[in-house]
């Protein structure tokens, strides 16, 4: 006679990981979709940040400026590709959470969340904000938005990494 194990109810932590990962997946999918369907808006943003044309124009920093339209557009396309891949990885991670495949869900969600954090942390805050002095621009400064996404993704990553609660043994009669 085969014994069956009753399915355990969905834990609150697993549900939180599912919904929060799905939220970041939705956000990244919408960002990528927006950048693809309205290519020119953020293309201008990337061009101005890389050209450093609205910074203080300190001659000690302006050598960093990238003024080649081809390189600017290549950087923008690379950003869109990264956003799209991150969204797909997070969608897959969300699907795995929903299927209760927690081990693979945690792994895929971690990869996707790290992709988001690298883009917004290293890419927008580090390279855009510091290397290209985006912080100096009143018009083309995305540091606040990048910081929000970086921090939210970090919180979701922490939730994804929390250990699952152990099932309690049934009480003896």
């Amino acid at each position: 006679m085969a014994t069956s194990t009753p399915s355990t109810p969905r834990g609150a932590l697993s549900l939180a990981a599912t919904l929060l990962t799905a939220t970041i997946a939705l956000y990244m999918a919408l960002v990528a979709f927006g950048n693809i369907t309205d290519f020119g808006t953020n293309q201008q943003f990337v061009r101005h940040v890389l050209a450093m044309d609205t910074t203080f124009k300190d001659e000690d920093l302006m050598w960093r400026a990238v003024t080649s339209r081809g390189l600017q557009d290549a950087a923008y396309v690379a950003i869109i590709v990264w956003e799209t891949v991150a969204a797909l990885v997070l969608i897959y991670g969300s699907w795995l959470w929903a299927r209760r495949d927690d081990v693979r869900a945690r792994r895929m969600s971690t990869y996707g969340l790290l992709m988001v954090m690298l883009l917004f942390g290293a890419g927008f805050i580090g390279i855009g904000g510091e290397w290209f002095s985006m912080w100096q621009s009143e018009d083309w400064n995305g540091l606040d938005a990048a910081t929000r996404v970086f921090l939210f993704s970090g919180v979701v990553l922490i939730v994804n990494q929390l250990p699952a609660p152990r099932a309690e043994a049934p009480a003896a009669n």
Side-chain angles (χ1 to χ4, degrees):
M1 168 189 249
T3 60
S4 65
T5 311
S7 65
T8 59
R10 180 135 193 120
L13 184 60
S14 182
L15 179 61
T18 304
L19 295 176
L20 289 172
T21 301
T23 299
I24 299 289
L26 173 65
Y27 174 77
M28 290 306 297
L30 292 173
V31 168
F33 180 77
N35 284 337
I36 292 166
T37 60
D38 181 21
F39 190 84
T41 298
N42 281 330
Q43 178 188 37
Q44 292 307 310
F45 189 97
V46 170
R47 284 181 174 176
H48 284 289
V49 169
L50 295 180
M52 301 173 66
D53 57 0
T54 59
T55 63
F56 301 161
K57 296 199 178 19
D58 184 333
E59 64 185 51
D60 292 332
L61 297 178
M62 291 306 293
W63 63 270
R64 300 176 183 177
V66 174
T67 56
S68 163
R69 292 282 173 117
L71 289 176
Q72 292 169 346
D73 291 347
Y76 182 47
V77 169
I79 289 168
I80 294 171
V81 169
W82 190 271
E83 292 166 343
T84 303
V85 173
L88 292 171
V89 170
L90 288 166
I91 289 167
Y92 182 54
S94 300
W95 182 74
L96 290 169
W97 279 118
R99 293 198 54 207
R100 300 183 183 191
D101 186 351
D102 291 4
V103 172
R104 288 184 358 173
R106 182 172 285 117
R107 183 179 334 113
M108 294 310 296
S109 297
T110 297
Y111 295 154
L113 291 164
L114 287 174
M115 288 180 73
V116 173
M117 294 183 77
L118 285 170
L119 177 63
F120 285 87
F124 298 149
I125 296 170
I127 296 170
E130 289 303 316
W131 184 257
F132 291 107
S133 300
M134 181 171 55
W135 65 270
Q136 294 179 3
S137 177
E138 291 182 21
D139 299 320
W140 303 100
N141 186 339
L143 289 175
D144 287 343
T147 300
R148 281 192 303 272
V149 175
F150 180 81
L151 291 175
F152 183 38
S153 299
V155 168
V156 176
L157 181 62
I158 290 169
V159 170
N160 271 267
Q161 297 304 314
L162 292 174
R166 295 181 183 186
E168 294 183 24
N173 290 334

